[in-house]
Amino acid sequence: MSDAAGRAVRPGPALDHVVINVLRRMDAAAALFTELGFQLTPRGRHSLGSINHLIMTPGAYLELVGVPEDGPQRQDVLDSPFGLNGLVVASADADETFARLSAVGLPVGPPVAFSRPVTLGDRTEEARFRTVRLPTSLFPAGRIYHCQHLTPDLVWREPWFVHPNGFCGIGGFTVASPAPEAEAPRYAAACGAVVERAGEAWTFRLGETCVTIEPGPAARFAGLVLHFTDLTALEARARAVPDADWIRLSSEEAELALPDFQLTLCCRSARCAP
């Protein structure tokens, strides 16, 4: 089974990408992630009034999003939590996604279309998207929405998959909730997934990524599990960056804290599919 970008995927819902909101600190965020060995795509400028860099893999990717210094500024980005703030589900058809979510009683908004220019060599093309968003009142921890890529070939480009630190995938996404038993079914319904209990937490899968809703004093998107072919290159870079705190937990796992962006990343050495 493959998606619109030709990527092999598991049956069922899949993670499209995870959003890190840097608001007006895009230059600092881009410099930090580059120092840590992530390859960033060229800066994009959305027609809705936001800017971004992507950190690509052949599957789900990371997005640094913020607002430009001038021109229109996207209100939903300005209103969203700083740091980890977006869980985005892949959609093959935004109209079908809207109808399905409406049918299960979720107060979903209609599809919204937007675009951004992508420069490839000597030509510029328009990457186009349609998103279906759920109200923030349902998910106080952060934004949940679905994204249909109308031009996936302008997003998933093989040269962008290569990262000096060996980054190769998103293995997990953690949500802290004061009431996980009540919220977990709502998250699963919004994502079209089947939720299971795991001790005091609840889990469901979005393709290769495991989403965990765990007990916490306040609702927030609490952490990410990132996969790397090996942790050696990342560790060397993290230890050289003053704004990064690196803690080696085992030969295959480490914790990387980026306090300036309120991020805690669980970094694991993993065999990533080509």
Side-chain angles (χ1 to χ4, degrees), residues 6-169:
R7 302 166 292 163
V9 297
R10 292 188 181 197
L15 179 67
D16 191 82
H17 65 281
V18 167
V19 181
I20 298 169
N21 189 3
V22 302
L23 292 175
R24 304 184 194 279
R25 302 195 59 203
M26 184 61 83
D27 288 345
L32 175 60
F33 277 84
T34 299
E35 282 185 279
L36 289 169
F38 295 94
Q39 180 187 187
L40 275 60
T41 61
R43 186 166 300 185
R45 192 173 185 118
H46 295 123
S47 56
L48 294 177
S50 53
I51 56 176
N52 75 345
H53 288 284
L54 307 183
I55 303 174
M56 296 301 305
T57 81
Y61 60 91
L62 297 174
E63 179 184 22
L64 305 179
V65 75
V67 291
E69 293 183 0
D70 54 12
Q73 297 192 341
R74 192 168 153 188
Q75 195 60 47
D76 67 309
V77 172
L78 290 171
D79 292 342
S80 297
F82 185 70
L84 187 60
N85 90 344
L87 181 66
V88 187
V89 184
S91 171
D93 184 321
D95 293 314
E96 186 279 331
T97 298
F98 172 73
R100 177 175 55 81
L101 294 175
S102 299
V104 298
L106 290 170
V108 63
V112 173
F114 64 103
S115 64
R116 61 176 172 84
V118 177
T119 299
L120 302 171
D122 59 355
R123 75 184 196 279
T124 298
E125 299 193 33
E126 202 76 10
R128 296 178 293 113
F129 317 89
R130 298 180 78 212
T131 57
V132 178
R133 299 176 182 272
L134 290 133
T136 55
S137 58
L138 284 182
F139 302 98
R143 294 184 296 159
I144 304 283
Y145 61 97
H146 295 248
C147 181
Q148 177 188 7
H149 290 262
L150 302 177
T151 52
D153 57 307
L154 299 180
V155 177
W156 281 274
R157 303 190 65 80
E158 193 168 346
W160 292 339
F161 300 161
V162 180
H163 301 275
N165 62 15
F167 172 59
C168 57

Side-chain angles (χ1 to χ4, degrees), residues 38 165-168 226-231 234 267-270 272:
F38 295 94
N165 62 15
F167 172 59
C168 57
L226 302 184
H227 288 170
F228 298 80
T229 53
D230 182 86
L231 295 183
L234 175 64
C267 304
R268 292 179 182 165
S269 179
C272 295

